Amino acid sequence: MENPVKEQVKKIPNRPGVYIYRNASGEVIYVGKAKSLRKRVQNYFHSPRALPFNVRYLIDEIASLEFIITGSEMEALILECNLIKKHRPKYNINLKDDKKYPFIAITINDSYPRVFFTRKIVRDGPLYFGPFTSARAVRRTIKSIQTLFPIRNCKGPRPGKSASTPCLNFHLERCLAPCVGEVREEEYRRMIDQVILFLKGRHQDLIQHFERRMWDYSRQEDFEKAARVRDQITALKHMIEEQKISLDEEMDLDIIASAHKEEIACIELFSTRGGKMVARDHFLLEGVKGVEERVYLSSFLKLHYQETPFVPQEILVSTDIEDRELIEQWLTQERGSRVRVSVPLKGEKKRLMEMAAENAYYDLDFLAEKRRTEKESESGVLVELKEILDLPRFPRRIEGYDISTIMGQSSVGSMVVFEEGRSKKSDYKRFRIKTVDGQDDYAMLAEVIGRRFGRWLDQTSPWDSSFKKIPDLIVVDGGKGQLSVSRKRLMEMSLENLPIIGLAKRMEEIYKVDEDRSLSLPPDSEALKLLQRVRDEAHRFALSYHRKLRDADTIRSILDEIPGLGEKRKQLLVDHFGSFQEVVEATLEELYAVKGIPRAVAESIFRHFHRF
Ligand code: SF4
């Protein structure tokens, strides 16, 4: 049968833009960009054999086509990146893991900045260093910074803990105690400048600076301070020696090499900052069978640099990539200065590339083997579960549900998702209970089940991707009671065929529909372990949200005590800062900046939380 989309193709304009293919259930299965939308989309239908291997079989699944015209090919590239990130279409090359990169943040807008580990980037907020690919390496670096520089480690924009005395760090000489005015702001800031030099890899500058200070102290016969600086120099020299790989030029550089086997590719990434190698990591790309290295490396660059706020001035790749010039333009725009993407042909850079490539080959074998065993054991568990629970299909998608409440306060429900035996965090959902008063866990569970599957049934409202699929198995935390109310709610929606079980915590018993007796599996059963993981994850997810709401409710009730702060202004604050916690941590200037909050009220809020 003729694909209905073929007709539509003729009407597509010859303009740059992004095209989106969906399957019969409305799921986005491919996103692409083109200089000329019509030509590109026509290719799919006129000469599918000429298409890359990974998208050749997509044609049969296309049920609808959308396109978005953009002003330029570059805009199309940016939009394509965003849409791939949002939908993770199955025919696009995808990174296997959704990594949230660790960074080192310095709150340079504070009078006494702090330095900390984070995975969350706030634009126009702190100064960030990274991304680093190893959280352990970042923590080690922060520890080194704390050894070298007596900076504060207490939280919040203002130094100090609730007691008005310095903490142990001061007595251990690990903090200069700005909290009690032991150090002037300028002096502390000078130290932060040195931390920045350190993170930029300007170690020689730093050593010279330390040496000057050491001699100054010696001349002033302050030998205690001079000895402390001498120890800092020794520690710093030791750290530099540990960084064996370095470049002659003090530049920020990423080195990207790859190796592939069948449908997976391993990408090796070496990051040098200020000429020193600061991180090394590997990534697994899926869906690369028959795809040229230049194409999947191009996809990797788009996926990777879209996630990371720092773009180095030079990116070395093992082969010339598809769309190189366009990607260079995009990255230049992101960085704010020229970015080059090139293949190193000689010298130190070529040597580092060879080293990265060697590592990619080595890691590929390891990752391919790990993936194979994971797949085997996952499918084994799914087969076991299907048999034990007598399911109509393999439980490829399992959804777990739980409720968290204390005396009916700040009650929440959670939905967690496991696909192919592994958690799929992007599909997790939390529900604030709306219709139940008091402590009635059963009614709350029924509400959550009703709302979740109501969203699936209501195909007229825009689908949240988490609700787009229905599970092959539902697991509720609890026994007969929880199972029965959930099932009843499903029946009311004519969804009684959805397989559902209860897993009670006390004896790890499984409750099935229409069966009086519960089922007990041996504790070492892989199937039981998977069900426990689903149940425990639902419990953890509900509890963390419940705690957050409870804390927010507590802060909300504290805010109630502040004169002049009614519901409307409270809402303005939350809308502005994102949460009550952020309101508590806001500086006075930030509070002044909130539209609709008079100065006097801003001051009352600040005084209330900072007690001065
Ligand atoms: S001494 Fe004061 S400023 Fe330093 S970490 Fe302790 S509380 Fe914070």
Side-chain angles (χ1 to χ4, degrees):
M1 199 179 75
E2 183 93 328
N3 193 311
V5 176
K6 260 189 164 177
E7 272 308 297
Q8 207 188 333
V9 175
K10 294 174 195 152
K11 298 181 191 124
I12 299 178
N14 244 334
R15 302 267 303 276
V18 170
Y19 54 97
I20 302 162
Y21 293 135
R22 290 180 188 269
N23 65 12
S25 22
E27 199 180 335
V28 174
I29 52 175
Y30 189 77
V31 173
K33 65 131 188 57
K35 206 170 182 175
S36 159
L37 278 168
R38 191 190 306 157
K39 271 194 212 149
R40 174 64 57 86
V41 176
Q42 268 173 351
N43 273 348
Y44 280 87
F45 297 94
H46 290 163
S47 43
R49 278 179 183 281
L51 292 171
F53 193 86
N54 61 325
V55 290
R56 213 172 288 167
Y57 299 102
L58 141 92
I59 310 291
D60 295 339
E61 274 193 59
I62 300 173
S64 67
L65 159 70
E66 282 166 44
F67 57 88
I68 303 165
I69 298 169
T70 57
S72 65
E73 200 186 357
M74 160 89 108
E75 276 177 27
L77 178 100
I78 296 168
L79 184 59
E80 181 201 29
C81 289
N82 291 337
L83 290 171
I84 292 175
K85 185 180 166 208
K86 183 171 170 204
H87 297 288
R88 297 182 66 88
K90 71 174 184 182
Y91 284 101
N92 282 94
I93 291 171
N94 269 309
L95 274 174
K96 189 167 173 281
D97 302 311
D98 255 339
K99 296 198 183 204
K100 279 230 174 255
Y101 297 97
F103 288 83
I104 294 174
I106 305 182
T107 56
I108 43 163
N109 296 328
D110 294 346
S111 318
Y112 294 96
R114 62 196 182 99
V115 179
F116 60 97
F117 174 103
T118 186
R119 291 182 192 269
K120 202 170 122 192
I121 301 296
V122 182
R123 300 264 172 207
D124 306 323
L127 175 67
Y128 294 99
F129 287 88
F132 299 98
T133 44
S134 151
R136 202 176 332 144
V138 173
R139 293 210 160 88
R140 229 179 20 230
T141 306
I142 291 179
K143 234 180 169 175
S144 306
I145 291 171
Q146 285 165 346
T147 315
L148 287 170
F149 308 96
I151 47 171
R152 71 184 181 100
N153 69 3
C154 48
K155 290 194 178 144
R158 290 163 64 95
K161 313 236 165 171
S162 45
S164 53
T165 52
C167 71
L168 192 62
N169 285 328
F170 174 63
H171 302 290
L172 295 174
E173 298 186 346
R174 286 204 205 124
C175 178
L176 297 177
C179 54
V180 287
E182 286 284 326
V183 53
R184 280 179 300 120
E185 200 175 316
E186 309 83 75
E187 194 186 331
Y188 189 92
R189 284 229 157 234
R190 269 200 296 277
M191 188 169 61
I192 291 295
D193 290 342
Q194 291 162 14
V195 173
I196 294 171
L197 277 186
F198 175 79
L199 286 168
K200 282 185 171 168
R202 306 252 308 266
H203 297 153
Q204 287 312 328
D205 291 354
L206 203 52
I207 287 180
Q208 280 171 15
H209 173 87
F210 279 160
E211 282 174 346
R212 271 198 305 273
R213 250 195 23 220
M214 183 175 72
W215 294 120
D216 282 349
Y217 284 135
S218 302
R219 266 194 297 276
Q220 292 157 18
E221 297 191 359
D222 190 342
F223 297 114
E224 201 181 319
K225 280 188 180 160
R228 209 177 304 145
V229 181
R230 181 205 55 209
D231 294 345
Q232 283 178 312
I233 297 172
T234 314
L236 184 55
K237 283 185 173 166
H238 183 68
M239 279 175 214
I240 298 169
E241 267 170 31
E242 279 189 344
Q243 291 179 329
K244 290 193 183 64
I245 298 170
S246 63
L247 288 162
D248 295 337
E249 295 166 75
E250 281 199 355
M251 61 186 311
D252 298 337
L253 187 71
D254 279 357
I255 301 147
I256 298 172
S258 81
H260 74 272
K261 199 181 212 173
E262 295 172 0
E263 59 173 45
I264 63 166
C266 174
I267 310 284
E268 196 77 23
L269 171 68
F270 287 180
S271 307
T272 69
R273 299 290 178 261
K276 304 277 180 302
M277 181 146 125
V278 293
R280 170 231 154 151
D281 201 7
H282 54 242
F283 301 81
L284 191 59
L285 278 186
E286 291 192 320
V288 301
K289 191 171 181 183
V291 182
E292 288 175 68
E293 186 186 10
R294 57 187 286 277
V295 176
Y296 69 70
L297 274 184
S298 171
S299 298
F300 173 75
L301 260 73
K302 289 187 256 176
L303 292 166
H304 180 69
Y305 291 106
Q306 188 199 20
E307 290 285 307
T308 59
F310 182 80
V311 179
Q313 64 210 83
E314 189 168 355
I315 298 167
L316 300 178
V317 281
S318 47
T319 192
D320 198 13
I321 60 167
E322 184 187 50
D323 287 333
R324 181 176 49 76
E325 282 175 19
L326 195 60
I327 289 175
E328 277 181 340
Q329 280 172 35
W330 167 56
L331 293 175
T332 297
Q333 193 173 302
E334 291 288 303
R335 180 181 161 87
S337 62
R338 174 92 207 274
V339 175
R340 278 190 63 206
V341 178
S342 64
V343 181
L345 299 174
K346 57 181 184 2
E348 187 62 357
K349 291 177 182 171
K350 183 162 185 272
R351 190 185 71 78
L352 284 175
M353 177 58 77
E354 284 163 0
M355 205 161 89
E358 199 182 326
N359 279 283
Y361 277 106
Y362 175 79
D363 287 338
L364 176 73
D365 270 348
F366 170 74
L367 291 171
E369 179 59 23
K370 191 167 161 236
R371 189 169 173 269
R372 195 180 56 75
T373 41
E374 264 175 19
K375 277 206 151 177
E376 275 174 14
S377 63
E378 277 155 16
S379 59
V381 174
L382 300 190
V383 171
E384 192 185 338
L385 258 184
K386 181 174 180 288
E387 276 170 18
I388 292 168
L389 300 176
D390 196 19
L391 300 172
R393 298 181 296 275
F394 287 111
R396 294 195 188 289
R397 182 179 169 99
I398 305 177
E399 291 183 4
Y401 292 88
D402 194 14
I403 296 296
S404 192
T405 178
I406 294 179
M407 310 293 286
Q409 299 296 309
S410 311
S411 308
V412 298
S414 65
M415 158 186 157
V416 298
V417 178
F418 277 60
E419 282 190 356
E420 306 292 342
R422 275 172 293 161
S423 63
K424 189 181 182 200
K425 292 203 165 67
S426 56
D427 274 9
Y428 284 18
K429 281 284 159 198
R430 303 193 254 224
F431 302 82
R432 186 151 194 182
I433 299 300
K434 291 180 180 166
T435 61
V436 183
D437 287 327
Q439 179 88 34
D440 185 346
D441 296 25
Y442 290 169
M444 291 180 197
L445 188 57
E447 177 186 322
V448 170
I449 296 281
R451 279 166 59 190
R452 185 269 180 260
F453 291 99
R455 287 296 302 276
W456 182 74
L457 288 171
D458 182 10
Q459 301 194 4
T460 53
S461 75
W463 264 350
D464 183 323
S465 61
S466 306
F467 302 132
K468 215 157 53 180
K469 298 182 189 166
I470 51 167
D472 304 304
L473 175 65
I474 300 169
V475 179
V476 291
D477 184 1
K480 259 188 176 169
Q482 282 85 351
L483 176 63
S484 136
V485 291
S486 308
R487 176 83 199 299
K488 186 163 171 270
R489 191 70 193 90
L490 289 174
M491 285 167 77
E492 286 162 4
M493 292 186 285
S494 307
L495 293 172
E496 58 276 10
N497 288 335
L498 278 183
I500 179 166
I501 59 158
L503 181 61
K505 247 183 227 101
R506 209 167 55 89
M507 305 285 285
E508 301 295 357
E509 300 154 289
I510 298 170
Y511 288 88
K512 292 168 70 183
V513 171
D514 298 333
E515 285 188 19
D516 287 338
R517 292 186 53 182
S518 61
L519 175 72
S520 292
L521 297 178
D524 60 351
S525 149
E526 290 303 322
L528 176 65
K529 284 184 195 162
L530 174 57
L531 294 177
Q532 285 169 328
R533 276 207 304 280
V534 175
R535 191 249 341 254
D536 295 346
E537 181 68 346
H539 181 73
R540 181 199 65 76
F541 195 54
L543 189 64
S544 65
Y545 186 40
H546 170 67
R547 284 195 180 132
K548 206 167 152 192
L549 287 185
R550 222 177 45 200
D551 292 348
D553 285 348
T554 311
I555 296 171
R556 185 179 259 274
S557 63
I558 295 172
L559 287 173
D560 282 341
E561 294 165 17
I562 300 173
L565 196 58
E567 281 310 313
K568 207 167 152 201
R569 284 181 179 158
K570 267 189 261 174
Q571 199 51 51
L572 284 176
L573 287 167
V574 176
D575 290 347
H576 183 92
F577 290 105
S579 74
F580 281 116
Q581 191 56 44
E582 305 281 329
V583 178
V584 174
E585 288 176 7
T587 62
L588 191 52
E589 288 67 33
E590 285 166 344
L591 288 165
Y592 282 157
V594 185
K595 233 178 164 177
I597 301 290
R599 237 180 141 76
V601 176
E603 278 164 15
S604 305
I605 299 168
F606 190 75
R607 261 202 305 274
H608 204 83
F609 290 112
H610 297 82
R611 284 182 256 127
F612 67 89

